[in-house]
Amino acid sequence: MQPIPAEACADPELAVAFGHFSKTLGFVPNSLLTMQRVPAIAKAVIELNRAVFAPDGEVDLGLKRLVAHMASTASGCQYCKAHTTVSATRHGVTDEKMAAIYEYASSPLFTAAERVALDFALEAASVPNSVTDESYRALAEHWTETQIVELLGVVCMFGVFNRWNDSMATPLEELPLARAEELLGDRGWDVGKHANEA
C-alpha cells in the first residue's frame, strides 16, 4: 500500500502531529503516511511514540533507540532496523557504536547495563517470548522498575511498528536507507521488500 503524502493529509490535527516526526527524524515515516487512512490509528500511534520517547524519561533516548533496534532484529523488520539506525545516531549514539550493535555482548562500547537491556529487548520481542525469571533478575540489577517499564514500552511499541511495516511492505525513505546501508550493510542488513519502487 502506497503512503499518502504528508501534504495531502486531510486531518488538521494529524497534519500538525506529523511535524513531530519531521523534527525528531527529519522526515515523516511512510508507516504513518499509510496509517493516516484511519486518522485515529495514526494519532494513537503518535501518542504512544511520544510517551515512549518522552524527553523527561529516565532511560537515555539513544539507548531506547538501540532497544528498539534489537526488538526489530528479533522480529526481522528491516524497515524498523533502518529507522532506529537513524534515530539512534540522531540521539547521541555514535556511528561506531551503531555499527557494533550486533556485537553488543562483547563490544567495549556497551556497558553492562546496556547489554542486559539489549538482551531483554531480544527476549521480550521474540515469539514466543523468552524472558525468564533469571533474565528479569539480571535486568533488575541495573534498572529500576520505572526504567524497566520504559524499556518494555519501547519493545511493545516496536511490536506494532514491526508488524505494520512488514505486513504493508512499507517503502523505506531515503535517509534511513542510506544510513542502514552505511552502518549495517556489511552486517546482513538488506532493504528487502521495503525497497521504494514508486
Side-chain angles (χ1 to χ4, degrees):
M1 185 179 300
Q2 285 300 308
I4 299 170
E7 55 273 14
C9 181
D11 185 298
E13 183 183 343
L14 188 55
V16 171
F18 283 162
H20 166 76
F21 290 90
S22 292
K23 290 177 190 169
T24 58
L25 282 177
F27 58 92
V28 180
N30 283 335
S31 53
L32 293 175
L33 297 179
T34 302
M35 286 178 198
Q36 72 174 307
R37 287 175 169 85
V38 181
I41 292 175
K43 290 175 188 177
V45 168
I46 289 169
E47 282 306 308
L48 179 58
N49 187 276
R50 286 180 175 155
V52 166
F53 290 137
D56 60 348
E58 294 184 12
V59 178
D60 175 76
L61 290 173
L63 177 60
K64 283 184 175 181
R65 270 53 179 211
L66 295 178
V67 165
H69 189 88
M70 294 315 294
S72 299
T73 298
S75 77
C77 182
Q78 303 302 321
Y79 179 92
C80 290
K81 286 167 65 176
H83 270 242
T84 53
T85 298
V86 170
S87 60
T89 56
R90 287 178 66 101
H91 287 88
V93 175
T94 65
D95 285 6
E96 179 187 19
K97 188 170 186 173
M98 189 69 235
I101 187 65
Y102 305 125
E103 293 83 44
Y104 75 86
S106 59
S107 170
L109 298 173
F110 295 86
T111 67
E114 289 172 332
R115 287 184 184 117
V116 76
L118 297 174
D119 284 342
F120 178 71
L122 280 171
E123 294 166 350
S126 293
V127 177
N129 185 294
S130 62
V131 175
T132 64
D133 289 345
E134 182 180 325
S135 60
Y136 185 86
R137 277 192 294 275
L139 187 69
E141 287 177 15
H142 296 276
W143 301 97
T144 68
E145 289 184 348
T146 298
Q147 292 167 334
I148 291 169
V149 168
E150 287 188 27
L151 292 168
L152 186 55
V154 174
V155 173
C156 293
M157 181 179 70
F158 272 82
V160 171
F161 283 137
N162 296 157
R163 280 160 182 75
W164 184 276
N165 291 306
D166 268 350
S167 297
M168 289 290 188
T170 306
L172 192 56
E173 307 84 0
E174 288 182 24
L175 178 59
L177 174 61
R179 291 298 277 159
E181 285 178 340
E182 174 189 359
L183 298 174
L184 306 175
D186 63 348
R187 289 166 170 74
W189 183 87
D190 183 80
V191 67
K193 64 177 153 183
H194 302 287
N196 192 343
E197 298 171 0

